[in-house]
């Protein structure tokens, strides 16, 4: 199924609002991932030695969260224009390799999807509708499919 003009508009409008507060929203996104799946923390090498320090002060987590959240959102906003997920090929290959090496499985993608939708819903509650949820789901599913494809390639390399 393609990404409709209406879906694109919903994604763009919500992203424009969230952009004003990317850092804190991105952190909330990752905290939601860790809330749903506490074991996920162990998949991030830079968090394994974090000890008991509060995660919100972890500089690498903040940087990583922002990078991931912005990439997901930017990819979603360009979906209709480009007809597919627009992440630089080199980035996509790296994502595939990193996720394959970390042992990321389909279930992890579902956790991230749930966390993403929860985060966006909390960030733009006045805009959130079933249509907006469906638009973000479609955008995320397409990005996840592209990363999974690269993971297969990386696994056989």
């Amino acid at each position: 199924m393609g990404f409709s003009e209406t879906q694109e508009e919903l994604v763009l409008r919500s992203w424009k609002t969230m952009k004003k507060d990317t850092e804190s929203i991105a952190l909330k996104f990752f905290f939601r991932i860790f809330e749903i799946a506490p074991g996920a923390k162990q998949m991030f090498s830079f968090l394994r030695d974090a000890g008991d320090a509060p995660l919100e002060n972890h500089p690498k987590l903040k940087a990583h969260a922002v990078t991931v959240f912005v990439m997901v959102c930017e990819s979603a906003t360009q979906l209709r224009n480009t007809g597919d997920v627009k992440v630089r090929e080199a980035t996509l290959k790296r994502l595939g390799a990193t996720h394959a090496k970390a042992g990321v499985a389909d279930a992890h993608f579902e956790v991230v999807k749930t966390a993403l939708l929860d985060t966006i819903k909390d960030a733009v509650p006045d805009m959130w509708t079933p249509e907006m949820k469906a638009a973000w789901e479609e955008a995320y599913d397409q990005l996840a499919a592209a990363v999974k494809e690269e993971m297969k390639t990386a696994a056989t390399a």
Side-chain angles (χ1 to χ4, degrees):
M1 182 188 115
F3 199 59
S4 74
E5 208 170 319
T6 311
Q7 287 179 308
E8 180 186 51
E9 200 271 325
L10 290 166
V11 165
L12 278 169
R13 204 159 35 114
S14 51
W15 175 225
K16 203 172 151 190
T17 300
M18 291 187 290
K19 252 185 184 164
K20 298 173 192 136
D21 195 17
T22 313
E23 202 169 87
S24 88
I25 296 171
L27 272 174
K28 285 178 187 153
F29 170 47
F30 267 76
F31 292 153
R32 185 71 185 114
I33 292 171
F34 299 150
E35 202 180 307
I36 299 169
K41 275 186 210 137
Q42 293 310 305
M43 299 182 95
F44 297 91
S45 53
F46 58 81
L47 289 181
R48 286 187 206 125
D49 53 7
D52 292 331
L55 283 180
E56 55 271 12
N57 299 337
H58 198 293
K60 282 189 177 161
L61 176 63
K62 193 177 283 185
H64 184 73
V66 169
T67 302
V68 171
F69 189 68
V70 169
M71 188 197 68
V72 168
C73 293
E74 288 291 343
S75 166
T77 62
Q78 295 166 21
L79 205 50
R80 204 176 73 82
N81 253 354
T82 57
D84 80 34
V85 173
K86 263 300 158 252
V87 179
R88 283 202 328 269
E89 201 176 323
T91 305
L92 205 52
K93 286 196 184 324
R94 196 182 71 240
L95 283 172
T98 313
H99 284 78
K101 206 171 84 183
V104 172
D106 282 359
H108 297 119
F109 282 98
E110 286 307 308
V111 166
V112 172
K113 180 178 179 176
T114 301
L116 179 72
L117 296 171
D118 289 351
T119 303
I120 295 169
K121 181 182 179 182
D122 288 348
V124 292
D126 50 328
M127 287 184 201
W128 192 253
T129 61
E131 293 75 24
M132 181 176 281
K133 179 180 189 243
W136 277 105
E137 280 179 318
E138 177 65 26
Y140 176 80
D141 287 347
Q142 291 201 30
L143 179 61
V147 174
K148 288 178 191 178
E149 208 42 57
E150 284 302 329
M151 284 172 66
K152 280 186 206 141
T153 308
T156 56

